[in-house]
Amino acid sequence: MVDLTPFLPGLSPVQGKAVVARFDGGRLSSEGGLLALREIERRLGLADRLANCLVDPRAPERVVHRLAEIIRFRMLMIAAGYEDGNDADALRRDPMFKLALDRLPAGEELCSQSTISRLENLPDRRALLRLGRALVEQYCGSFRAVPKRIVLDIDDTFDRVHGGQQLRLFNAYYDDYGFQPIVVFDAEGRFVTALLRPGKRPSGVEICGFVRRLIGALRSHWPKVEILLRADSHYASPEVFDWCRKNRVDWVFGLAPNAALCRHVAALEKSTAARFKAAPGRGKVRRFGQFHDAAQRWSRVERIIARVEAGHEGTDTRFIVTSLEGGRAKHLYQRLYCARGQAENHIKAWKNHLAADRTSCHAAEANQFRLFLHAGAYWLLWSMRRVMPKHSVWRVMQFDTLRLRLIKLAARVVELKTQVKIHLPSSAPDQAIFAMLLERLPRLVT
């Protein structure tokens, strides 16, 4: 008989005793933290929400793995750090993943990679529209009460691809082929939606169409909510200005500098540089100004705020444009606009820590669905972080660190007649935090 679990080679002895190791531990898992993610997903109901947007073409009497179960398995895999669907072939037997999907350790295996691939290629464009609205519903349902005002950060990120995927395009700035999806978060880091698109800068007409659909979906839940959009300079287009003004949407966008804008602040730049030159030891000098101006394509003049900074490297000037009539220029720039920099961290968490750029399917619809699945994994980890105590390091911890500390826990699973025992390491350094997390889960908004 061939031994399927041979000894691991190359291990040095310890105090004269041989070290013998092999993968034969039985029902062991490195994903003990799925206990918490399972409870979070049950309260969010995200897998069921997404599954209800799809039409299952399979014969009901032959279905072994329901759509909601496959989606739940895939989101948990991504949250646990397994972004490749091929890992499902090994993880389908993992006892902690089985428990997370309401199956006993000795029960049937979970779905395989081929089942996940068929799921990813199932949605058509209509189904994707329903899935997008479901994510917006998830966002709206995460509030305890209807907010008076929400701030939405819109940005795009380059997603390199290697193959013949639909919608891929060469981007000269990044010198590579890829996509450039638009991603939206709110000011507190909640995921709102994502749109797969070719790897080029979006036009004003395209941005306007996207914003129109997004705001329409939000207003269907909250008709009277005040909305503020924040974005960088290439979202500052006249089409967006005009549509937002007609539909009660405020904005604050970056504005690329040009000769016409710089003429308005020439005197401010000169005086700011003189102040720094007079007392260079005090550090950089930052001053603000505002004026009204309009580009040739704009339908009317807009309020423009300038930030001028002088230092040892010279003078640096930045501009923003806003529909807000009140507020001091300094406050609008430093406290309101610059806060959108946090959106870069949210994109990093979604793209790097959760591998949202794993868009290797050929069909654009499949890759768009993958973005939604990774958005679901983002909601799981964001919700885990959200229930942590305020002003603690756990509340702002990166997703990869959170995964390492609270999900990657060794576990031994023992199935008895009336219960399932899970033995976690006695030496785990974050036992108290894990227990507190489970205790605070009822506070999670569902």
Side-chain angles (χ1 to χ4, degrees):
M1 180 177 177
V2 179
D3 191 350
L4 298 179
T5 56
F7 296 117
L8 297 178
L11 300 178
S12 304
V14 176
Q15 297 185 7
K17 294 186 177 181
V19 177
V20 179
R22 60 197 303 179
F23 288 103
D24 62 351
R27 289 177 185 162
L28 301 177
S29 175
S30 60
E31 318 299 332
L34 290 179
L35 287 171
L37 286 184
R38 171 180 180 263
E39 299 302 323
I40 291 173
E41 201 286 323
R42 285 167 64 92
R43 284 169 169 78
L44 294 179
L46 187 54
D48 291 318
R49 191 190 299 273
L50 296 179
N52 290 336
C53 301
L54 304 175
V55 178
D56 194 344
R58 301 173 295 178
E61 66 276 7
R62 297 188 177 184
V63 171
V64 177
H65 308 287
R66 298 183 300 107
L67 292 181
E69 182 183 279
I70 304 172
I71 292 174
R72 187 175 294 112
F73 184 28
R74 190 70 185 102
M75 291 193 305
L76 290 172
M77 284 178 58
I78 296 169
Y82 301 101
E83 72 273 7
D84 196 332
N86 292 332
D87 294 323
D89 289 339
L91 295 174
R92 62 187 306 200
R93 293 180 287 274
D94 187 288
M96 289 306 304
F97 273 100
K98 285 186 175 182
L99 290 175
L101 272 74
D102 295 327
R103 296 200 179 194
L104 293 174
E108 290 183 327
E109 294 181 351
L110 304 176
C111 65
S112 63
Q113 176 271 331
S114 57
T115 303
I116 291 177
S117 294
R118 285 191 292 270
L119 169 71
E120 292 175 341
N121 287 273
L122 177 60
D124 57 12
R125 293 189 178 185
R126 291 182 179 273
L128 291 173
L129 288 174
R130 294 194 295 269
L131 289 165
R133 287 194 292 268
L135 277 181
V136 173
E137 292 174 0
Q138 174 64 43
Y139 168 72
C140 295
S142 66
F143 289 81
R144 297 186 182 275
V146 177
K148 180 181 179 181
R149 188 183 198 188
I150 59 174
V151 179
L152 301 180
D153 291 309
I154 303 179
D155 205 349
D156 47 71
T157 179
F158 190 70
D159 175 4
R160 287 181 174 84
V161 297
H162 308 280
Q165 290 94 331
Q166 294 177 351
L167 293 185
R168 78 162 192 159
L169 195 66
F170 184 80
N171 188 298
Y173 179 82
Y174 295 97
D175 194 29
D176 210 341
Y177 286 89
F179 307 125
Q180 198 159 331
I182 296 177
V183 193
V184 183
F185 297 87
D186 80 350
E188 295 182 346
R190 293 178 177 87
F191 197 102
V192 184
T193 192
L195 174 67
L196 187 76
R197 51 178 307 282
K200 63 178 181 178
R201 175 175 172 170
S203 66
V205 174
E206 182 182 0
I207 296 170
C208 188
F210 172 77
V211 170
R212 175 177 53 82
R213 291 188 295 271
L214 174 60
I215 300 302
L218 290 169
R219 288 263 168 83
S220 67
H221 294 274
W222 300 329
K224 298 182 180 180
V225 67
E226 298 176 5
I227 299 175
L228 173 70
L229 300 182
R230 292 190 303 205
D232 60 17
S233 59
H234 63 264
Y235 287 83
S237 66
E239 295 87 355
V240 178
F241 294 163
D242 295 340
W243 187 90
C244 289
R245 181 168 281 109
K246 292 178 182 177
N247 291 273
R248 299 183 295 111
V249 177
D250 290 317
W251 74 83
V252 53
F253 296 146
L255 199 58
N258 56 46
L261 295 176
C262 291
R263 281 196 297 269
H264 286 277
V265 295
L268 182 62
E269 288 178 334
K270 185 177 180 180
S271 62
T272 303
R275 287 191 181 187
F276 172 77
K277 187 176 181 180
R282 296 181 179 179
K284 294 181 179 180
V285 177
R286 173 177 286 193
R287 300 174 69 194
F288 297 86
Q290 61 180 329
F291 55 91
H292 286 77
D293 200 356
Q296 186 175 1
R297 294 179 57 237
W298 295 6
S299 61
R300 50 167 285 177
V301 296
E302 302 289 353
R303 183 187 183 189
I304 299 173
I305 294 172
R307 187 273 288 159
V308 179
E309 187 174 85
H312 293 286
E313 297 82 10
T315 303
D316 177 65
T317 303
R318 303 292 176 89
F319 299 94
I320 63 172
V321 57
T322 180
S323 63
L324 299 173
E325 297 179 357
R328 296 170 56 233
K330 180 178 180 180
H331 173 81
L332 292 179
Y333 185 89
Q334 290 192 162
R335 296 294 182 88
L336 187 60
Y337 177 74
C338 289
R340 68 167 293 273
Q342 189 64 23
E344 298 291 340
N345 293 328
H346 304 327
I347 293 177
K348 175 185 176 182
W350 180 64
K351 184 179 177 181
N352 295 345
H353 302 161
L354 296 175
D357 55 355
R358 191 80 173 188
T359 46
S360 55
C361 294
H362 171 71
E365 291 83 0
N367 285 321
Q368 174 66 71
F369 186 41
R370 282 193 174 188
L371 295 186
F372 290 156
L373 291 174
H374 287 263
Y378 178 97
W379 268 106
L380 296 180
L381 290 181
W382 183 87
S383 300
M384 173 183 281
R385 190 171 65 183
R386 186 69 174 179
V387 298
M388 293 296 184
K390 291 183 179 180
H391 312 298
S392 70
V393 295
W394 296 92
R395 193 67 174 262
V396 294
M397 189 172 286
Q398 290 190 158
F399 283 175
D400 57 345
T401 306
L402 196 67
R403 176 194 297 139
L404 181 64
R405 300 283 293 273
L406 294 181
I407 297 178
K408 296 298 182 180
L409 295 174
R412 179 163 62 92
V413 182
V414 180
E415 183 179 347
L416 304 177
K417 183 176 181 180
T418 59
Q419 61 180 320
V420 176
K421 285 189 175 182
I422 302 174
H423 300 272
L424 300 173
S426 301
S427 58
D430 299 310
Q431 300 177 39
I433 294 294
F434 193 81
M436 183 182 64
L437 169 64
L438 295 176
E439 181 182 354
R440 295 171 67 99
L441 281 181
R443 305 184 185 186
L444 187 65
V445 178
T446 58

